[in-house]
Amino acid sequence: MNAPKTSYEIIYNGKNITADIFPHVASFSYSDRSQGEADELEIVLEDSEKLWQNAWYPVKGDTVVARIIDKSGTLECGTFTVDEISGDGSVDGDTFTIKALAAGINNKIRTKHSQAHEGKSLREIANTIALKHGLKVEGEIRDVRIARITQYRETDLKFLKRISFEYGYSFSIRGDKLIFTNIFDLENKASALIIHRSEIVSYSITDKTSETYKNVKLVYHNPKQKKTIEHEQAEAAEAFKNAKNDTLEVRTRAENKQQAELISKVALYRANSRQQEGRINMPGFIYAVAGNNCEVQGLGMFSGQYYLDATTHSVDRDGGYNVELEIKRIGLVNKEKQKNKKKV
């Protein structure tokens, strides 16, 4: 039997099983996230022959490598480990679902524990966690010194997401890499694709003016130093000129002026960058991956540059390919960086 022409490829424990499972695959989807959550692979199989619930039953921890093959090229989804197996049945037949998480998201990194980090920078904390799980840290991380921060009954993944979020970073685990991106650097990234209204199947975008702010004020009382740290600043961004005159109040730990300034700046930016956000459903496109920027056209005041927070690529059994995008408006658009965009 000739191998079928498919828009995806699956390597299971080192063996290419695409042709073997193709007749059974009802749907294939890959979810790609930019902020501290596991990329996920889901394969739904028709199981009328009871193969998957018996002889072909997978083993949790098995390795799956997946890629989507499109006319534009190949999207390397990455390496995953089988994490969840489920079966469903009705009078219409049986189905079998395999869910796999990005290989770096192992049980150990998802186990809750407690630990105090003292006298470390954010990068040093990231390196400590990465080393424990056989990962490597990539990306520029500002040298912010933290006297003490406690991880109390949190997973390493949740703890790292919490502190990186507060100091203005997103991170993702891709293979053996822990990749950090400064949220302000997103402004300088060229859009990877242009999405015009004529190519959109459906969309939903919300403009939340009620949640935008002109100013931010941080207040923190340090009981050890017996002093209160206060910091206040205004948002000067032209993109937020229509924000309300409200002040965003931030009440969180800040050990010094440097931390207070950075935490305040990040909190104000994150609040205002949620001014416009939503979802777009469109035909599949391999450059629509989390962490990229895109430019949306033909939607009036909703048009502009957006950040891809998360994407889900789906392929059905007939070869239909679509992608759902979770987007948020980029606050400070640098128009001089809009070169080399790829048209959908």
Side-chain angles (χ1 to χ4, degrees):
M1 178 179 176
N2 293 327
K5 293 182 178 180
T6 65
S7 50
Y8 55 83
E9 190 173 68
I10 299 170
I11 314 296
Y12 193 94
N13 281 345
K15 180 183 178 182
N16 191 326
I17 64 169
T18 310
D20 296 324
I21 74 168
F22 178 72
H24 306 275
V25 177
S27 66
F28 166 100
S29 66
Y30 161 58
S31 296
D32 175 33
R33 301 176 175 93
S34 68
Q35 176 55 49
E37 294 182 47
D39 288 357
E40 184 177 286
L41 187 71
E42 180 179 285
I43 305 170
V44 180
L45 304 134
E46 182 275 326
D47 197 26
S48 59
E49 299 176 38
K50 308 294 189 291
L51 292 171
W52 297 96
Q53 51 196 283
N54 289 297
W56 289 8
Y57 194 89
V59 176
K60 283 185 281 187
D62 281 356
T63 301
V64 183
V65 176
R67 55 183 62 96
I68 294 174
I69 302 167
D70 178 62
K71 61 183 179 181
S72 303
T74 300
L75 171 58
E76 297 289 346
C77 303
T79 302
F80 303 81
T81 55
V82 175
D83 181 68
E84 183 180 309
I85 302 160
S86 61
D88 295 277
S90 69
V91 293
D92 297 320
D94 293 357
T95 59
F96 192 88
T97 302
I98 300 171
K99 290 185 179 181
L101 298 179
I105 311 293
N106 52 48
N107 287 332
K108 190 176 179 182
I109 203 171
R110 291 183 287 160
T111 301
K112 293 181 180 180
H113 66 98
S114 301
Q115 181 179 353
H117 296 270
E118 297 185 355
K120 294 180 181 178
S121 66
L122 178 58
R123 186 176 189 92
E124 287 171 339
I125 293 173
N127 280 333
T128 299
I129 292 174
L131 184 63
K132 186 196 305 186
H133 302 290
L135 302 171
K136 298 176 183 177
V137 175
E138 284 195 359
E140 296 288 332
I141 304 177
R142 185 174 174 177
D143 185 24
V144 179
R145 185 67 48 176
I146 302 171
R148 180 182 176 87
I149 190 166
T150 302
Q151 175 181 356
Y152 179 70
R153 293 195 55 77
E154 284 180 292
T155 67
D156 285 342
L157 197 62
K158 185 176 180 180
F159 171 68
L160 199 53
K161 179 180 178 179
R162 172 167 65 86
I163 61 173
S164 64
F165 186 91
E166 187 170 57
Y167 286 104
Y169 293 88
S170 65
F171 78 91
S172 59
I173 298 178
R174 303 289 169 88
D176 65 347
K177 295 181 175 63
L178 189 57
I179 303 171
F180 278 77
T181 304
N182 188 298
I183 59 172
F184 300 106
D185 290 343
L186 298 177
E187 307 298 341
N188 299 318
K189 288 179 63 174
S191 291
L193 64 155
I194 300 172
I195 304 171
H196 193 271
R197 175 65 183 92
S198 61
E199 294 136 351
I200 296 174
V201 176
S202 63
Y203 75 91
S204 175
I205 299 174
T206 303
D207 191 338
K208 298 184 292 188
T209 308
S210 62
E211 296 181 17
T212 57
Y213 303 88
K214 284 284 189 183
N215 309 287
V216 61
K217 182 177 182 179
L218 181 147
V219 179
Y220 174 70
H221 178 71
N222 190 318
K224 274 193 173 182
Q225 298 177 359
K226 295 183 179 179
K227 69 176 183 179
T228 298
I229 294 174
E230 292 190 19
H231 175 72
E232 189 167 0
Q233 67 187 56
E235 175 60 82
E238 178 68 14
F240 301 137
K241 63 183 179 182
N242 295 322
K244 299 197 310 178
N245 287 320
D246 292 353
T247 295
L248 173 66
E249 293 187 4
V250 178
R251 295 189 177 276
T252 188
R253 178 188 175 92
E255 298 169 341
N256 51 55
K257 195 71 172 177
Q258 181 200 29
Q259 286 185 16
E261 288 177 357
L262 181 56
I263 291 171
S264 297
K265 181 181 178 182
V266 169
L268 185 59
Y269 179 86
R270 287 195 185 280
N272 284 342
S273 65
R274 290 293 181 182
Q275 183 175 346
Q276 289 183 356
E277 61 182 344
R279 293 174 180 267
I280 289 177
N281 190 289
M282 56 181 276
F285 191 59
I286 63 171
Y287 296 101
V289 293
N292 278 343
N293 289 343
C294 70
E295 184 176 314
V296 177
Q297 298 180 346
L299 292 182
M301 295 301 290
F302 290 129
S303 298
Q305 193 180 34
Y306 289 82
Y307 175 65
L308 301 182
D309 217 12
T311 67
T312 298
H313 297 254
S314 303
V315 182
D316 63 29
R317 69 184 312 153
D318 297 320
Y321 174 31
N322 79 289
V323 61
E324 183 177 88
L325 316 175
E326 293 182 26
I327 60 174
K328 68 175 183 178
R329 190 65 175 262
I330 296 296
L332 311 174
V333 181
N334 187 340
K335 295 181 179 179
E336 295 183 1
K337 294 288 184 178
Q338 304 305 302
K339 298 179 181 178
N340 301 318
K341 300 168 190 167
K342 298 179 176 63
K343 191 75 170 63
V344 172

